[in-house]
Amino acid sequence: MEQARIDWLDSIDCSLNPDDMGPVIAHISCDFKKELVYPATIQLLTFVTHVGKSSLKLDHEFRIDGDETVYATGHVVLVWVDYGKGGSTQLPEKVLNHTKYRLD
């Protein structure tokens, strides 16, 4: 799931930069629904399911290519932080624009 999140952040031009601001994992879980059998090509779908001022929740579905069955689900809460100063900070516009959420 970590690589899927990094790929998603890269795709919206929010690549990780330890000298700036970015996400930290506040919570992560994975629930297995059905056995995956090796070998298989896995699809990992990622959905933004909640957006707060400084955090967002991503849900993941693990599927096999060509099969709509959900073999596992993953859930992660990311909190945006200022790596230099420490502490949370508001989500960047790039994330909000991609998720179609706006903060008032």
Side-chain angles (χ1 to χ4, degrees), residues 2-43:
E2 182 65 17
Q3 189 59 52
R5 286 187 297 280
I6 290 170
D7 291 346
W8 177 72
L9 290 167
D10 288 346
S11 78
I12 63 169
D13 197 28
C14 279
S15 299
L16 297 178
N17 180 351
D19 296 324
D20 196 14
M21 294 178 231
V24 296
I25 297 171
H27 173 80
I28 191 167
S29 66
C30 185
D31 299 307
F32 296 93
K33 308 293 184 188
K34 186 175 180 182
E35 180 180 7
L36 288 163
V37 179
Y38 178 84
T41 302
I42 305 300
Q43 284 184 321

Side-chain angles (χ1 to χ4, degrees), residues 29-98:
S29 66
C30 185
D31 299 307
F32 296 93
K33 308 293 184 188
K34 186 175 180 182
E35 180 180 7
L36 288 163
V37 179
Y38 178 84
T41 302
I42 305 300
Q43 284 184 321
L44 182 58
L45 305 176
T46 302
F47 308 94
V48 177
T49 56
H50 178 77
V51 176
K53 284 188 174 186
S54 63
S55 66
L56 62 119
K57 181 180 180 197
L58 301 176
D59 288 343
H60 301 285
E61 290 182 355
F62 293 75
R63 299 180 183 186
I64 293 177
D65 272 348
D67 183 354
E68 293 297 314
T69 303
V70 176
Y71 288 82
T73 57
H75 314 279
V76 64
V77 175
L78 299 176
V79 176
W80 227 260
V81 299
D82 183 319
Y83 295 132
K85 295 178 183 175
S88 64
T89 188
Q90 188 170 326
L91 289 169
E93 280 296 317
K94 290 177 185 178
V95 171
L96 296 174
N97 289 340
H98 181 75

